[in-house]
Amino acid sequence: MAENLYYGGIEGGASHSQFNLMGSDGKILANSEGEDTNHYLIGMEECLRRIHVMVQDGLTKAGLPTDTTLEGLGLSLSGGDEADAQVAFKKMIKEKYPTMARHIFIGSDTRSAVATALPKGGVVLIAGTGSNCQLINEDGTMARSGGWGHMLGDESSACWIVLKAVKSVFDHDDEIHPSKHSVETVRKVIYDYFKIQERSGLLDHLYKDFNKTKFAGCCKSLAEEAIKTKDPLICLIFQDAGRYLAKHLSAVAAKMSEALKERKGGVPIVCVGSVFKSWELLEPGFIEEMKSRKNVTGIKEVTLYRLKVDASVGATSLGAMAAGKELPIDYSTTATAFYNGVF
């Protein structure tokens, strides 16, 4: 009788993480959620502790002993594509959690999204709390743009959008860069969200008590206001975010295979993150930038996809591949197209 083998995957975001557990037949046995797993923010030891907790929780939910050893485990984490970090992760797992998994894949948080929806390659654009762009060609070659965190970039992310909104108020009030549009709607949204009466009240949220997830949460309030009132300043900020999404895509175009550019429907792009819920605000800037760059990038058409299942499914498939197993996943059910653009 064949031994029952189990495979797991973790999609680690800047706000929270998700664990998925599958059997050899590709059926999901359990899911569990946990805290963020960005080792640059919390340290590698704490990151692995949180991973171990999620794995144990998933095994418990599936009715399996918590000491069950996974045949393959895929870890798709922020900062996971750095070679030194991968070596250190695997070394620490062997030392602290030697029975957690026989085979381990470690990659960036973009890898799981592509593996969930596009097994033959494509692009993932992440615009959530942070942002990132990853190209994976059919032959496995890759290129990346962004993903350096809010201190260096995170363009188009929720955190970036909120920082742009905050700075527009400060720059206008200081008369450094007066806004062509009224800043009063932006000011009200920000003040209401952070429960402050004047702009100096933001300083604690920006420095002493900065919490990236909480700070980025104001993006939802800004988006709702823009959709409701069409405030020109907020709309302009979101259009700029759309332009940067196109710039990220353009940045990896030089290493993109012609087969990917010529695929039916154009370049397939998986869009991950809460910012894409406001696509109607991002679209004008995205289209404008793509049209201006098409002669350089060679990208004349794109199709954007939204995941219908958690990206931890893709992380699980990557863990299985590390163990030499291809899980029978029905990719027609994992994502849906929400936009097609011809430039």
Side-chain angles (χ1 to χ4, degrees), residues 22 25-27 116-117 119 309 313 327-335:
M22 283 184 174
D25 58 2
K27 291 182 179 178
T116 300
V309 298
V313 170
L327 293 174
I329 297 171
D330 182 0
Y331 289 99
S332 68
T333 66
T334 59

Side-chain angles (χ1 to χ4, degrees), residues 240-261:
D240 283 344
R243 289 187 186 93
Y244 268 104
L245 289 172
K247 287 178 181 180
H248 279 311
L249 180 59
S250 299
V252 300
K255 295 184 179 180
M256 188 180 295
S257 70
E258 288 303 313
L260 208 57
K261 292 178 183 178

Side-chain angles (χ1 to χ4, degrees), residues 126-257:
I126 293 179
T129 303
S131 69
N132 204 345
C133 174
Q134 179 90 50
L135 159 71
I136 303 178
N137 288 309
E138 290 186 13
D139 63 1
T141 56
M142 297 183 290
R144 188 183 84 170
S145 174
W148 301 113
H150 65 279
M151 293 294 287
L152 289 174
D154 267 0
E155 295 88 354
S156 304
S157 71
C159 192
W160 181 88
I161 288 169
V162 177
L163 281 170
K164 287 270 288 185
V166 168
K167 188 161 173 56
S168 70
V169 173
F170 274 69
D171 285 354
H172 181 82
D173 289 355
D174 288 344
E175 298 186 11
I176 292 174
H177 185 63
S179 174
K180 294 185 294 184
H181 304 292
S182 170
V183 301
E184 295 313 310
T185 299
V186 172
R187 188 194 308 277
K188 184 178 186 309
V189 171
I190 291 170
Y191 284 19
D192 286 350
Y193 178 82
F194 290 103
K195 297 179 174 58
I196 57 175
Q197 302 299 317
E198 56 185 9
R199 60 180 181 151
S200 62
L202 274 169
L203 298 180
D204 279 348
H205 296 285
L206 284 162
Y207 301 106
K208 180 182 175 183
D209 299 319
F210 179 72
N211 181 305
K212 186 175 180 179
T213 302
K214 180 181 178 181
F215 193 85
C218 184
C219 183
K220 180 181 178 182
S221 299
L222 289 166
E224 289 173 347
E225 184 67 31
I227 291 170
K228 181 173 67 175
T229 67
K230 308 299 180 187
D231 179 78
L233 179 55
I234 305 177
C235 288
L236 183 62
I237 293 171
F238 273 90
Q239 286 169 23
D240 283 344
R243 289 187 186 93
Y244 268 104
L245 289 172
K247 287 178 181 180
H248 279 311
L249 180 59
S250 299
V252 300
K255 295 184 179 180
M256 188 180 295
S257 70

